[in-house]
PDB file of all heavy atoms in Angstrom:
ATOM      1  N   MET F   1       0.846  -1.196   0.000  1.00 66.00           N
ATOM      2  CA  MET F   1       0.000   0.000   0.000  1.00 66.00           C
ATOM      3  C   MET F   1       0.881   1.245   0.000  1.00 66.00           C
ATOM      4  O   MET F   1       1.716   1.409   0.883  1.00 66.00           O
ATOM      5  CB  MET F   1      -0.900   0.008   1.242  1.00 66.00           C
ATOM      6  CG  MET F   1      -1.879   1.184   1.285  1.00 66.00           C
ATOM      7  SD  MET F   1      -2.819   1.228   2.827  1.00 66.00           S
ATOM      8  CE  MET F   1      -3.665  -0.344   2.752  1.00 66.00           C
ATOM      9  N   ASN F   2       0.712   2.127  -0.997  1.00 72.00           N
ATOM     10  CA  ASN F   2       1.528   3.337  -1.031  1.00 72.00           C
ATOM     11  C   ASN F   2       1.021   4.353  -0.022  1.00 72.00           C
ATOM     12  O   ASN F   2      -0.112   4.272   0.473  1.00 72.00           O
ATOM     13  CB  ASN F   2       1.556   3.935  -2.448  1.00 72.00           C
ATOM     14  CG  ASN F   2       0.168   4.304  -2.956  1.00 72.00           C
ATOM     15  OD1 ASN F   2      -0.549   5.085  -2.336  1.00 72.00           O
ATOM     16  ND2 ASN F   2      -0.225   3.722  -4.095  1.00 72.00           N
ATOM     17  N   SER F   3       1.859   5.316   0.283  1.00 75.00           N
ATOM     18  CA  SER F   3       1.557   6.268   1.360  1.00 75.00           C
ATOM     19  C   SER F   3       0.355   7.153   1.047  1.00 75.00           C
ATOM     20  O   SER F   3      -0.428   7.489   1.936  1.00 75.00           O
ATOM     21  CB  SER F   3       2.790   7.139   1.628  1.00 75.00           C
ATOM     22  OG  SER F   3       3.170   7.845   0.456  1.00 75.00           O
ATOM     23  N   GLU F   4       0.196   7.534  -0.229  1.00 81.00           N
ATOM     24  CA  GLU F   4      -0.931   8.397  -0.591  1.00 81.00           C
ATOM     25  C   GLU F   4      -2.263   7.672  -0.398  1.00 81.00           C
ATOM     26  O   GLU F   4      -3.226   8.244   0.110  1.00 81.00           O
ATOM     27  CB  GLU F   4      -0.788   8.863  -2.046  1.00 81.00           C
ATOM     28  CG  GLU F   4       0.358   9.843  -2.262  1.00 81.00           C
ATOM     29  CD  GLU F   4       0.362  10.392  -3.664  1.00 81.00           C
ATOM     30  OE1 GLU F   4      -0.565  10.037  -4.443  1.00 81.00           O
ATOM     31  OE2 GLU F   4       1.262  11.178  -3.984  1.00 81.00           O
ATOM     32  N   LYS F   5      -2.310   6.411  -0.808  1.00 85.00           N
ATOM     33  CA  LYS F   5      -3.534   5.631  -0.621  1.00 85.00           C
ATOM     34  C   LYS F   5      -3.815   5.423   0.857  1.00 85.00           C
ATOM     35  O   LYS F   5      -4.963   5.525   1.303  1.00 85.00           O
ATOM     36  CB  LYS F   5      -3.405   4.283  -1.320  1.00 85.00           C
ATOM     37  CG  LYS F   5      -4.655   3.423  -1.213  1.00 85.00           C
ATOM     38  CD  LYS F   5      -4.503   2.115  -1.962  1.00 85.00           C
ATOM     39  CE  LYS F   5      -5.765   1.275  -1.839  1.00 85.00           C
ATOM     40  NZ  LYS F   5      -5.631  -0.026  -2.567  1.00 85.00           N
ATOM     41  N   ALA F   6      -2.757   5.134   1.637  1.00 83.00           N
ATOM     42  CA  ALA F   6      -2.926   4.938   3.077  1.00 83.00           C
ATOM     43  C   ALA F   6      -3.427   6.215   3.741  1.00 83.00           C
ATOM     44  O   ALA F   6      -4.289   6.167   4.625  1.00 83.00           O
ATOM     45  CB  ALA F   6      -1.604   4.494   3.699  1.00 83.00           C
ATOM     46  N   LYS F   7      -2.901   7.364   3.323  1.00 84.00           N
ATOM     47  CA  LYS F   7      -3.337   8.637   3.892  1.00 84.00           C
ATOM     48  C   LYS F   7      -4.798   8.903   3.577  1.00 84.00           C
ATOM     49  O   LYS F   7      -5.576   9.340   4.435  1.00 84.00           O
ATOM     50  CB  LYS F   7      -2.469   9.773   3.352  1.00 84.00           C
ATOM     51  CG  LYS F   7      -2.803  11.126   3.959  1.00 84.00           C
ATOM     52  CD  LYS F   7      -1.871  12.205   3.429  1.00 84.00           C
ATOM     53  CE  LYS F   7      -2.220  13.560   4.030  1.00 84.00           C
ATOM     54  NZ  LYS F   7      -1.327  14.636   3.499  1.00 84.00           N
ATOM     55  N   TYR F   8      -5.199   8.608   2.331  1.00 85.00           N
ATOM     56  CA  TYR F   8      -6.599   8.800   1.937  1.00 85.00           C
ATOM     57  C   TYR F   8      -7.515   7.892   2.749  1.00 85.00           C
ATOM     58  O   TYR F   8      -8.563   8.335   3.237  1.00 85.00           O
ATOM     59  CB  TYR F   8      -6.754   8.503   0.446  1.00 85.00           C
ATOM     60  CG  TYR F   8      -8.190   8.486  -0.011  1.00 85.00           C
ATOM     61  CD1 TYR F   8      -8.879   9.666  -0.274  1.00 85.00           C
ATOM     62  CD2 TYR F   8      -8.875   7.268  -0.156  1.00 85.00           C
ATOM     63  CE1 TYR F   8     -10.208   9.632  -0.681  1.00 85.00           C
ATOM     64  CE2 TYR F   8     -10.203   7.237  -0.555  1.00 85.00           C
ATOM     65  CZ  TYR F   8     -10.862   8.425  -0.819  1.00 85.00           C
ATOM     66  OH  TYR F   8     -12.181   8.392  -1.210  1.00 85.00           O
ATOM     67  N   LEU F   9      -7.121   6.619   2.905  1.00 87.00           N
ATOM     68  CA  LEU F   9      -7.941   5.678   3.674  1.00 87.00           C
ATOM     69  C   LEU F   9      -8.031   6.097   5.132  1.00 87.00           C
ATOM     70  O   LEU F   9      -9.093   6.004   5.753  1.00 87.00           O
ATOM     71  CB  LEU F   9      -7.354   4.276   3.567  1.00 87.00           C
ATOM     72  CG  LEU F   9      -7.455   3.603   2.187  1.00 87.00           C
ATOM     73  CD1 LEU F   9      -6.709   2.278   2.199  1.00 87.00           C
ATOM     74  CD2 LEU F   9      -8.903   3.385   1.793  1.00 87.00           C
ATOM     75  N   ALA F  10      -6.916   6.562   5.705  1.00 87.00           N
ATOM     76  CA  ALA F  10      -6.909   6.979   7.110  1.00 87.00           C
ATOM     77  C   ALA F  10      -7.813   8.182   7.331  1.00 87.00           C
ATOM     78  O   ALA F  10      -8.539   8.261   8.334  1.00 87.00           O
ATOM     79  CB  ALA F  10      -5.480   7.295   7.557  1.00 87.00           C
ATOM     80  N   GLU F  11      -7.787   9.128   6.403  1.00 88.00           N
ATOM     81  CA  GLU F  11      -8.599  10.335   6.541  1.00 88.00           C
ATOM     82  C   GLU F  11     -10.089  10.043   6.386  1.00 88.00           C
ATOM     83  O   GLU F  11     -10.930  10.768   6.934  1.00 88.00           O
ATOM     84  CB  GLU F  11      -8.165  11.373   5.499  1.00 88.00           C
ATOM     85  CG  GLU F  11      -6.780  11.956   5.769  1.00 88.00           C
ATOM     86  CD  GLU F  11      -6.326  12.879   4.652  1.00 88.00           C
ATOM     87  OE1 GLU F  11      -6.999  12.887   3.591  1.00 88.00           O
ATOM     88  OE2 GLU F  11      -5.319  13.576   4.834  1.00 88.00           O
ATOM     89  N   ASN F  12     -10.422   9.003   5.649  1.00 88.00           N
ATOM     90  CA  ASN F  12     -11.819   8.674   5.390  1.00 88.00           C
ATOM     91  C   ASN F  12     -12.276   7.406   6.120  1.00 88.00           C
ATOM     92  O   ASN F  12     -13.333   6.864   5.802  1.00 88.00           O
ATOM     93  CB  ASN F  12     -12.038   8.499   3.886  1.00 88.00           C
ATOM     94  CG  ASN F  12     -11.860   9.787   3.106  1.00 88.00           C
ATOM     95  OD1 ASN F  12     -12.777  10.591   2.985  1.00 88.00           O
ATOM     96  ND2 ASN F  12     -10.660   9.987   2.582  1.00 88.00           N
ATOM     97  N   MET F  13     -11.479   6.957   7.089  1.00 90.00           N
ATOM     98  CA  MET F  13     -11.782   5.701   7.767  1.00 90.00           C
ATOM     99  C   MET F  13     -13.100   5.772   8.547  1.00 90.00           C
ATOM    100  O   MET F  13     -13.876   4.811   8.561  1.00 90.00           O
ATOM    101  CB  MET F  13     -10.649   5.311   8.703  1.00 90.00           C
ATOM    102  CG  MET F  13     -10.788   3.924   9.302  1.00 90.00           C
ATOM    103  SD  MET F  13     -10.762   2.617   8.051  1.00 90.00           S
ATOM    104  CE  MET F  13      -9.034   2.692   7.548  1.00 90.00           C
ATOM    105  N   GLU F  14     -13.364   6.907   9.187  1.00 90.00           N
ATOM    106  CA  GLU F  14     -14.597   7.023   9.974  1.00 90.00           C
ATOM    107  C   GLU F  14     -15.827   6.914   9.093  1.00 90.00           C
ATOM    108  O   GLU F  14     -16.793   6.216   9.428  1.00 90.00           O
ATOM    109  CB  GLU F  14     -14.613   8.350  10.725  1.00 90.00           C
ATOM    110  CG  GLU F  14     -15.829   8.509  11.632  1.00 90.00           C
ATOM    111  CD  GLU F  14     -15.804   9.800  12.424  1.00 90.00           C
ATOM    112  OE1 GLU F  14     -14.770  10.506  12.385  1.00 90.00           O
ATOM    113  OE2 GLU F  14     -16.824  10.100  13.063  1.00 90.00           O
ATOM    114  N   LEU F  15     -15.785   7.582   7.929  1.00 88.00           N
ATOM    115  CA  LEU F  15     -16.913   7.508   6.997  1.00 88.00           C
ATOM    116  C   LEU F  15     -17.076   6.093   6.473  1.00 88.00           C
ATOM    117  O   LEU F  15     -18.200   5.561   6.418  1.00 88.00           O
ATOM    118  CB  LEU F  15     -16.696   8.479   5.837  1.00 88.00           C
ATOM    119  CG  LEU F  15     -17.761   8.448   4.726  1.00 88.00           C
ATOM    120  CD1 LEU F  15     -19.127   8.825   5.284  1.00 88.00           C
ATOM    121  CD2 LEU F  15     -17.365   9.381   3.584  1.00 88.00           C
ATOM    122  N   ARG F  16     -15.977   5.450   6.094  1.00 88.00           N
ATOM    123  CA  ARG F  16     -16.043   4.091   5.585  1.00 88.00           C
ATOM    124  C   ARG F  16     -16.529   3.119   6.664  1.00 88.00           C
ATOM    125  O   ARG F  16     -17.226   2.149   6.367  1.00 88.00           O
ATOM    126  CB  ARG F  16     -14.677   3.651   5.062  1.00 88.00           C
ATOM    127  CG  ARG F  16     -14.195   4.402   3.840  1.00 88.00           C
ATOM    128  CD  ARG F  16     -12.901   3.835   3.304  1.00 88.00           C
ATOM    129  NE  ARG F  16     -13.100   2.485   2.819  1.00 88.00           N
ATOM    130  CZ  ARG F  16     -12.310   1.470   3.119  1.00 88.00           C
ATOM    131  NH1 ARG F  16     -11.297   1.629   3.952  1.00 88.00           N
ATOM    132  NH2 ARG F  16     -12.531   0.267   2.616  1.00 88.00           N
ATOM    133  N   SER F  17     -16.169   3.398   7.908  1.00 88.00           N
ATOM    134  CA  SER F  17     -16.594   2.527   9.002  1.00 88.00           C
ATOM    135  C   SER F  17     -18.101   2.585   9.226  1.00 88.00           C
ATOM    136  O   SER F  17     -18.679   1.658   9.775  1.00 88.00           O
ATOM    137  CB  SER F  17     -15.866   2.924  10.301  1.00 88.00           C
ATOM    138  OG  SER F  17     -14.474   2.693  10.182  1.00 88.00           O
ATOM    139  N   ARG F  18     -18.730   3.682   8.809  1.00 85.00           N
ATOM    140  CA  ARG F  18     -20.185   3.807   8.949  1.00 85.00           C
ATOM    141  C   ARG F  18     -20.927   3.257   7.749  1.00 85.00           C
ATOM    142  O   ARG F  18     -22.070   2.807   7.881  1.00 85.00           O
ATOM    143  CB  ARG F  18     -20.579   5.275   9.160  1.00 85.00           C
ATOM    144  CG  ARG F  18     -20.097   5.893  10.452  1.00 85.00           C
ATOM    145  CD  ARG F  18     -20.889   7.157  10.761  1.00 85.00           C
ATOM    146  NE  ARG F  18     -20.877   8.087   9.647  1.00 85.00           N
ATOM    147  CZ  ARG F  18     -20.007   9.077   9.494  1.00 85.00           C
ATOM    148  NH1 ARG F  18     -19.045   9.237  10.395  1.00 85.00           N
ATOM    149  NH2 ARG F  18     -20.070   9.892   8.455  1.00 85.00           N
ATOM    150  N   THR F  19     -20.303   3.285   6.585  1.00 86.00           N
ATOM    151  CA  THR F  19     -21.033   2.972   5.356  1.00 86.00           C
ATOM    152  C   THR F  19     -20.674   1.629   4.722  1.00 86.00           C
ATOM    153  O   THR F  19     -21.438   1.123   3.891  1.00 86.00           O
ATOM    154  CB  THR F  19     -20.802   4.082   4.320  1.00 86.00           C
ATOM    155  OG1 THR F  19     -19.392   4.189   4.033  1.00 86.00           O
ATOM    156  CG2 THR F  19     -21.306   5.421   4.852  1.00 86.00           C
ATOM    157  N   ASP F  20     -19.538   1.059   5.070  1.00 91.00           N
ATOM    158  CA  ASP F  20     -19.091  -0.187   4.440  1.00 91.00           C
ATOM    159  C   ASP F  20     -19.795  -1.380   5.074  1.00 91.00           C
ATOM    160  O   ASP F  20     -19.368  -1.890   6.112  1.00 91.00           O
ATOM    161  CB  ASP F  20     -17.574  -0.328   4.587  1.00 91.00           C
ATOM    162  CG  ASP F  20     -17.048  -1.586   3.905  1.00 91.00           C
ATOM    163  OD1 ASP F  20     -17.850  -2.340   3.314  1.00 91.00           O
ATOM    164  OD2 ASP F  20     -15.832  -1.828   3.972  1.00 91.00           O
ATOM    165  N   ARG F  21     -20.901  -1.845   4.464  1.00 89.00           N
ATOM    166  CA  ARG F  21     -21.687  -2.938   5.027  1.00 89.00           C
ATOM    167  C   ARG F  21     -21.057  -4.318   4.807  1.00 89.00           C
ATOM    168  O   ARG F  21     -21.473  -5.291   5.418  1.00 89.00           O
ATOM    169  CB  ARG F  21     -23.102  -2.937   4.401  1.00 89.00           C
ATOM    170  CG  ARG F  21     -23.909  -1.677   4.683  1.00 89.00           C
ATOM    171  CD  ARG F  21     -24.173  -1.502   6.171  1.00 89.00           C
ATOM    172  NE  ARG F  21     -25.145  -0.469   6.446  1.00 89.00           N
ATOM    173  CZ  ARG F  21     -24.880   0.820   6.596  1.00 89.00           C
ATOM    174  NH1 ARG F  21     -23.640   1.229   6.475  1.00 89.00           N
ATOM    175  NH2 ARG F  21     -25.817   1.698   6.873  1.00 89.00           N
ATOM    176  N   LEU F  22     -20.071  -4.391   3.930  1.00 89.00           N
ATOM    177  CA  LEU F  22     -19.453  -5.684   3.651  1.00 89.00           C
ATOM    178  C   LEU F  22     -18.382  -6.048   4.671  1.00 89.00           C
ATOM    179  O   LEU F  22     -18.317  -7.190   5.135  1.00 89.00           O
ATOM    180  CB  LEU F  22     -18.821  -5.674   2.246  1.00 89.00           C
ATOM    181  CG  LEU F  22     -19.762  -5.449   1.071  1.00 89.00           C
ATOM    182  CD1 LEU F  22     -18.971  -5.433  -0.227  1.00 89.00           C
ATOM    183  CD2 LEU F  22     -20.806  -6.548   1.016  1.00 89.00           C
ATOM    184  N   TRP F  23     -17.587  -5.091   5.067  1.00 91.00           N
ATOM    185  CA  TRP F  23     -16.384  -5.385   5.830  1.00 91.00           C
ATOM    186  C   TRP F  23     -16.305  -4.606   7.138  1.00 91.00           C
ATOM    187  O   TRP F  23     -16.372  -5.186   8.223  1.00 91.00           O
ATOM    188  CB  TRP F  23     -15.170  -5.102   4.934  1.00 91.00           C
ATOM    189  CG  TRP F  23     -13.839  -4.986   5.589  1.00 91.00           C
ATOM    190  CD1 TRP F  23     -13.000  -3.892   5.573  1.00 91.00           C
ATOM    191  CD2 TRP F  23     -13.122  -5.983   6.336  1.00 91.00           C
ATOM    192  NE1 TRP F  23     -11.850  -4.148   6.261  1.00 91.00           N
ATOM    193  CE2 TRP F  23     -11.890  -5.423   6.733  1.00 91.00           C
ATOM    194  CE3 TRP F  23     -13.425  -7.292   6.707  1.00 91.00           C
ATOM    195  CZ2 TRP F  23     -10.959  -6.132   7.497  1.00 91.00           C
ATOM    196  CZ3 TRP F  23     -12.481  -7.994   7.461  1.00 91.00           C
ATOM    197  CH2 TRP F  23     -11.278  -7.426   7.843  1.00 91.00           C
ATOM    198  N   LEU F  24     -16.201  -3.285   7.066  1.00 93.00           N
ATOM    199  CA  LEU F  24     -15.966  -2.483   8.261  1.00 93.00           C
ATOM    200  C   LEU F  24     -17.217  -2.291   9.113  1.00 93.00           C
ATOM    201  O   LEU F  24     -17.108  -2.029  10.312  1.00 93.00           O
ATOM    202  CB  LEU F  24     -15.397  -1.113   7.870  1.00 93.00           C
ATOM    203  CG  LEU F  24     -14.039  -1.138   7.171  1.00 93.00           C
ATOM    204  CD1 LEU F  24     -13.626   0.275   6.760  1.00 93.00           C
ATOM    205  CD2 LEU F  24     -12.981  -1.749   8.082  1.00 93.00           C
ATOM    206  N   ASN F  25     -18.391  -2.388   8.519  1.00 93.00           N
ATOM    207  CA  ASN F  25     -19.633  -2.212   9.272  1.00 93.00           C
ATOM    208  C   ASN F  25     -20.623  -3.303   8.900  1.00 93.00           C
ATOM    209  O   ASN F  25     -21.795  -3.045   8.621  1.00 93.00           O
ATOM    210  CB  ASN F  25     -20.232  -0.824   9.003  1.00 93.00           C
ATOM    211  CG  ASN F  25     -21.328  -0.465   9.986  1.00 93.00           C
ATOM    212  OD1 ASN F  25     -21.388  -0.991  11.093  1.00 93.00           O
ATOM    213  ND2 ASN F  25     -22.215   0.425   9.584  1.00 93.00           N
ATOM    214  N   ASN F  26     -20.141  -4.543   8.895  1.00 95.00           N
ATOM    215  CA  ASN F  26     -20.990  -5.683   8.561  1.00 95.00           C
ATOM    216  C   ASN F  26     -22.185  -5.741   9.514  1.00 95.00           C
ATOM    217  O   ASN F  26     -22.016  -5.565  10.726  1.00 95.00           O
ATOM    218  CB  ASN F  26     -20.176  -6.969   8.658  1.00 95.00           C
ATOM    219  CG  ASN F  26     -20.938  -8.195   8.212  1.00 95.00           C
ATOM    220  OD1 ASN F  26     -21.743  -8.743   8.961  1.00 95.00           O
ATOM    221  ND2 ASN F  26     -20.687  -8.636   6.998  1.00 95.00           N
ATOM    222  N   PRO F  27     -23.407  -5.973   9.013  1.00 92.00           N
ATOM    223  CA  PRO F  27     -24.602  -5.920   9.865  1.00 92.00           C
ATOM    224  C   PRO F  27     -24.605  -6.927  11.009  1.00 92.00           C
ATOM    225  O   PRO F  27     -25.227  -6.681  12.038  1.00 92.00           O
ATOM    226  CB  PRO F  27     -25.743  -6.204   8.881  1.00 92.00           C
ATOM    227  CG  PRO F  27     -25.109  -6.882   7.715  1.00 92.00           C
ATOM    228  CD  PRO F  27     -23.742  -6.279   7.616  1.00 92.00           C
ATOM    229  N   VAL F  28     -23.936  -8.047  10.845  1.00 93.00           N
ATOM    230  CA  VAL F  28     -23.869  -9.039  11.922  1.00 93.00           C
ATOM    231  C   VAL F  28     -22.713  -8.731  12.860  1.00 93.00           C
ATOM    232  O   VAL F  28     -22.875  -8.637  14.080  1.00 93.00           O
ATOM    233  CB  VAL F  28     -23.693 -10.469  11.353  1.00 93.00           C
ATOM    234  CG1 VAL F  28     -23.584 -11.477  12.498  1.00 93.00           C
ATOM    235  CG2 VAL F  28     -24.844 -10.825  10.445  1.00 93.00           C
ATOM    236  N   ILE F  29     -21.539  -8.543  12.307  1.00 94.00           N
ATOM    237  CA  ILE F  29     -20.321  -8.392  13.099  1.00 94.00           C
ATOM    238  C   ILE F  29     -20.343  -7.133  13.952  1.00 94.00           C
ATOM    239  O   ILE F  29     -19.977  -7.154  15.133  1.00 94.00           O
ATOM    240  CB  ILE F  29     -19.089  -8.375  12.191  1.00 94.00           C
ATOM    241  CG1 ILE F  29     -19.052  -9.612  11.284  1.00 94.00           C
ATOM    242  CG2 ILE F  29     -17.815  -8.272  13.011  1.00 94.00           C
ATOM    243  CD1 ILE F  29     -19.014 -10.923  12.020  1.00 94.00           C
ATOM    244  N   MET F  30     -20.764  -6.017  13.378  1.00 92.00           N
ATOM    245  CA  MET F  30     -20.671  -4.746  14.070  1.00 92.00           C
ATOM    246  C   MET F  30     -21.988  -4.275  14.670  1.00 92.00           C
ATOM    247  O   MET F  30     -21.989  -3.454  15.578  1.00 92.00           O
ATOM    248  CB  MET F  30     -20.140  -3.667  13.104  1.00 92.00           C
ATOM    249  CG  MET F  30     -18.832  -4.026  12.425  1.00 92.00           C
ATOM    250  SD  MET F  30     -17.492  -4.489  13.574  1.00 92.00           S
ATOM    251  CE  MET F  30     -17.205  -2.919  14.381  1.00 92.00           C
ATOM    252  N   GLN F  31     -23.134  -4.780  14.177  1.00 88.00           N
ATOM    253  CA  GLN F  31     -24.422  -4.299  14.660  1.00 88.00           C
ATOM    254  C   GLN F  31     -25.261  -5.382  15.326  1.00 88.00           C
ATOM    255  O   GLN F  31     -26.271  -5.080  15.955  1.00 88.00           O
ATOM    256  CB  GLN F  31     -25.216  -3.697  13.487  1.00 88.00           C
ATOM    257  CG  GLN F  31     -24.513  -2.551  12.795  1.00 88.00           C
ATOM    258  CD  GLN F  31     -25.272  -2.065  11.582  1.00 88.00           C
ATOM    259  OE1 GLN F  31     -26.489  -1.873  11.624  1.00 88.00           O
ATOM    260  NE2 GLN F  31     -24.572  -1.865  10.478  1.00 88.00           N
ATOM    261  N   GLY F  32     -24.862  -6.632  15.177  1.00 91.00           N
ATOM    262  CA  GLY F  32     -25.591  -7.724  15.822  1.00 91.00           C
ATOM    263  C   GLY F  32     -26.963  -7.984  15.248  1.00 91.00           C
ATOM    264  O   GLY F  32     -27.862  -8.455  15.960  1.00 91.00           O
TER     265      GLY F  32
END
């Protein structure tokens, strides 16, 4: 992972954590 991509992901991690239903906010794993 290059630094620019990592920086972009880090800056947008909170948004992705709310909207990514497949991985970061899976309906079973994170919401029960």
